[in-house]
Structures are given as C-alpha cells and as structure tokens.
Amino acid sequence: HRATVARLRPRDGDVVGADNPGLGRALHEPHPYLGPDALALALPDRLFCAFPRALDAAGVVSFDWTTDDMRVQADRVFDRPDASLASLEITQLQAGAF
C-alpha cells in the first residue's frame, strides 16, 4: 500500500480520498487545533496522521492507529510555533466502540 495525501473533512475528521482498506482512514476525534485546512496522510497498516498546514501559533499533530482489536489516537499539542510540548493526549478504544 502507498500513502495517500488528503484533506480532512471539517465536520467528522474522515479523510477525503482514502478508500483503500489497508490505509488509515480517519481520526476518532479531531482535535480543535487542527482546523479545516489541516493536511492528512493515510498511511499503510491503518495509520493516519493529521497536522496543520503551517506552525504560526498553537497546533497539534495527531496520529490514529486502528487494529482489529483496538484503536489508539495520540495528539501532540503545542502552544507556540517553536513546537514545545504543551500536552500529549492519548485515547484508546476497544473494538466495537468505534
């Protein structure tokens, strides 16, 4: 599988154009810092990454990995454009919860 570069849909966080089942498809819960212009990578092994187009203020880099049994989303949040860590938020869900 090859990675797909796409854009997030503003409402639900699904990636536009990632219809290959081997690629990551979406974020469970898009972080508010992402915004409608966020870029996304749908990567092999059901890994998904979203990040801001530019770092001019607060931002987040989000990863979502889905397996047969679990789904994990990690959000690395920063408050300044120097990308210093503000928080690391991790969400885990069991199969059937998503």
Side-chain angles (χ1 to χ4, degrees):
H1 303 289
R2 296 184 65 181
T4 299
V5 177
R7 288 187 54 179
L8 291 174
R9 288 188 213 152
R11 285 193 208 116
D12 55 17
D14 282 348
V15 68
V16 176
D19 53 0
N20 184 323
L23 298 179
R25 298 187 56 88
L27 295 174
H28 170 66
E29 187 176 335
H31 196 281
Y33 280 2
L34 280 174
D37 292 329
L39 296 176
L41 292 175
L43 301 165
D45 297 326
R46 297 186 281 182
L47 179 64
F48 184 84
C49 176
F51 46 91
R53 198 174 279 276
L55 297 179
D56 52 3
V60 64
V61 176
S62 296
F63 293 91
D64 188 290
W65 182 51
T66 304
T67 69
D68 292 335
D69 301 321
M70 294 290 297
R71 183 171 187 168
V72 178
Q73 179 173 327
D75 300 307
R76 186 199 187 283
V77 181
F78 44 93
D79 289 331
R80 299 189 315 253
D82 68 0
S84 56
L85 182 65
S87 69
L88 178 63
E89 303 166 11
I90 298 174
T91 304
Q92 295 181 356
L93 300 167
Q94 290 183 337
F98 47 89

